Amino acid sequence: MSEKELGQKWDRCLADCAVKLGTGLGLGIVFSVVFFKRRTWPIVFGTGLGLGMAYSNCQNDLRSHYVLHSKVAKEE
Amino acid sequence: MILKQILTARFATKVTIAGGAIYVAYDSGLLGDGKEGSVTLGRAKAAIPPAVEEWVKYFGFELPATPKIEFSPLDAWNSGVQKSIHALSVAPSTVSDYTKQGLKYVKDLTK
């Protein structure tokens, strides 16, 4: 993986982390207000879910360069 | 009977609101891949200034202009790293020079 590609992947990771954290926080707030009488734990849970999704995406993105991809030839 | 209907209607409304929020998040690509997330962030960044301007026009007051800070964290970090490593690399010769100077000074004092 070239340094430029690695830098782009890290940029994507950070952007995705911000988006997922915000989404998790937002959905956590919605669920907390609508279902759980404005308790804190759904907000924390949602934020944690967002962070976990971002971590998983980042991990896949950084590993994808080293994963072998194969194509199955169609039988004619 | 009526109370039960009211409670059911309330629950259905809550489920609709929560489900709608999840659907909107999914549909706008917020819950997808890393690439989609960065694209969505770019779109949001592009959409915010016109939206803020529109709201300001609607409410009729002017926001103070954002001060332009000319500070690059990247440049500051890089220069910090370079200076630290340079200092580490010249540290042995600098220490030896100072030690020699100190010894010479002490020798001169004892003469």
Side-chain angles (χ1 to χ4, degrees):
Chain A
M1 209 190 318
S2 67
E3 269 211 36
K4 189 181 171 187
E5 206 182 317
L6 182 65
Q8 282 172 349
K9 287 194 186 219
W10 275 112
D11 286 344
R12 259 201 313 266
C13 271
L14 285 173
D16 189 44
C17 190
V19 167
K20 296 276 187 306
L21 261 178
T23 309
L25 187 72
L27 286 176
I29 290 172
V30 166
F31 271 80
S32 165
V33 165
V34 167
F35 286 119
F36 297 108
K37 294 171 192 169
R38 293 180 196 175
R39 294 215 173 101
T40 324
W41 71 262
I43 301 171
V44 176
F45 187 69
T47 312
L49 274 177
L51 201 61
M53 283 195 288
Y55 184 87
S56 172
N57 280 346
C58 214
Q59 200 174 45
N60 279 335
D61 200 9
L62 288 168
R63 278 182 185 172
S64 66
H65 184 78
Y66 303 102
V67 169
L68 291 172
H69 298 283
S70 64
K71 281 183 186 169
V72 177
K74 284 185 186 172
E75 285 180 15
E76 287 181 14
Chain B
M1 186 67 189
I2 295 171
L3 182 66
K4 203 174 169 184
Q5 281 178 352
I6 291 170
L7 287 173
T8 316
R10 215 166 69 170
F11 184 72
T13 315
K14 286 181 180 183
V15 167
T16 312
I17 292 170
I22 294 173
Y23 177 74
V24 163
Y26 171 74
D27 196 44
S28 46
L30 294 172
L31 297 174
D33 202 8
K35 288 173 191 161
E36 283 180 42
S38 58
V39 160
T40 314
L41 188 69
R43 264 192 273 148
K45 266 193 202 171
I48 283 174
V52 163
E53 266 183 46
E54 221 179 281
W55 282 20
V56 160
K57 269 187 210 167
Y58 181 73
F59 285 114
F61 63 84
E62 272 191 35
L63 280 175
T66 47
K68 279 193 180 175
I69 305 167
E70 289 200 19
F71 174 72
S72 167
L74 183 72
D75 290 338
W77 176 263
N78 285 347
S79 86
V81 167
Q82 282 166 357
K83 282 184 183 162
S84 320
I85 301 297
H86 176 71
L88 282 173
S89 70
V90 302
S93 51
T94 316
V95 164
S96 115
D97 283 343
Y98 282 137
T99 317
K100 278 181 195 167
Q101 277 180 26
L103 285 173
K104 192 182 166 199
Y105 177 75
V106 167
K107 256 191 208 173
D108 291 341
L109 279 178
T110 53
K111 272 184 190 170

